[in-house]
Amino acid sequence: MYKLYGVKKWGSLGPQCVLEEVGAPYEMVWLSLEDRRGPYRKINPLGYVPSLQLADGRIVFESSAIVTHITDAHPSDLAPRSGTPDHAIYLTWLTWLNAEIYSTMNAAEFLEDEGNTVGDAASRASLAEAVRAKVDALFNIVERHLGQSGGFMLGRSVSAVDHYLMMVTLWTRPNRRALYERCPNIGRVVAAVNARQAVAKVLALNDLA
Ligand SMILES: N[C@@H](CCC(=O)N[C@@H](CS)C(=O)NCC(=O)O)C(=O)O
């Protein structure tokens, strides 16, 4: 039995979708702000979500590592078999979405955080604008890729990379619908992912239905 630590609509959403998709038994632990500032630091060094506790008690963190572990441990149509060239491409895109898009969005959030007192407000705002422009450029790369790939991140059918893509689009500014209009290929992937029964359940659990 896994234990997934998360916050609604945050980085636990993608891993939760994948757990539901593969039918792996898990307990969802929703964390409060106090939890994340306190005891949870022993589980995740930065107090970030998500973290996944394995059956032996050890903790996996980093959302892309969690998704990869779940799909490797519970083989399904959502990911190629570990060790194959197709799996290398799977890892490439999953890692890229995490390292490039998720992290760049986090940098923008950091600059826009009301509690941030580094430098002056005007410099923070113009830096945040530049970082948001980079996020847009990264989504443009995904949009072009989807135009050539067959419709989904790994080709003609849905994979866990598409679930992960759906998750990171949730945090776009000014809102995710503006992204789907600007990038219709991404909008189509998100619609297809969201129509899946397992995902619809997770969206409802995250107050997104
Ligand atoms: N690289 C990490 C990033 C995780 C992350 O940034 N999580 C955010 C939520 S989406 C978080 O917990 N932030 C802490 C906070 O804002 O207090 C991963 O992929 O798991």
Side-chain angles (χ1 to χ4, degrees), residues 3-209:
K3 217 183 243 190
L4 179 64
Y5 293 88
V7 172
K8 287 182 182 182
K9 302 177 196 161
W10 284 19
S12 44
L13 187 142
Q16 190 179 12
C17 286
V18 178
L19 282 166
E20 286 287 343
E21 286 272 14
V22 301
Y26 72 100
E27 178 194 343
M28 189 72 218
V29 183
W30 297 117
L31 297 165
S32 65
L33 182 61
E34 293 71 40
D35 294 331
R36 286 188 290 111
R37 290 192 176 150
Y40 180 65
R41 291 272 165 156
K42 292 204 172 76
I43 292 173
N44 185 302
L46 287 170
Y48 280 4
V49 301
S51 299
L52 183 77
Q53 185 177 302
L54 303 175
D56 68 4
R58 283 184 290 175
I59 300 290
V60 183
F61 44 81
E62 288 302 317
S63 51
S64 52
I66 292 173
V67 167
T68 305
H69 174 68
I70 297 165
T71 54
D72 285 354
H74 305 273
S76 73
D77 291 348
L78 283 189
R81 190 167 50 81
S82 175
T84 61
D86 283 348
H87 192 269
I89 305 302
Y90 170 70
L91 284 181
T92 299
W93 280 113
L94 207 50
T95 307
W96 189 86
L97 290 177
N98 185 348
E100 296 294 334
I101 295 197
Y102 195 158
S103 297
T104 307
M105 286 176 130
N106 270 356
E109 299 274 342
F110 171 75
L111 289 162
E112 289 159 358
D113 187 332
E114 282 174 9
N116 187 338
T117 52
V118 178
D120 61 281
S123 315
R124 284 197 304 277
S126 74
L127 271 175
E129 201 178 322
V131 175
R132 288 280 172 203
K134 172 152 190 213
V135 172
D136 287 348
L138 293 169
F139 276 117
N140 290 345
I141 291 173
V142 174
E143 178 69 6
R144 281 198 295 277
H145 169 71
L146 291 171
Q148 297 158 0
S149 65
F152 293 97
M153 288 304 287
L154 297 189
R156 295 188 187 284
S157 54
V158 170
S159 74
V161 185
D162 299 299
H163 291 68
Y164 198 97
L165 173 62
M166 178 276 281
M167 175 181 77
V168 294
T169 69
L170 293 175
W171 311 318
T172 45
R173 300 283 184 270
N175 60 62
R176 59 186 183 275
R177 284 173 222 339
L179 172 72
Y180 306 153
E181 267 176 37
R182 186 171 67 79
C183 298
N185 293 330
I186 294 178
R188 272 190 285 276
V189 167
V190 171
V193 168
N194 288 356
R196 295 169 72 87
Q197 205 179 352
V199 174
K201 177 179 171 186
V202 172
L203 293 177
L205 291 170
N206 281 265
D207 302 333
L208 279 165

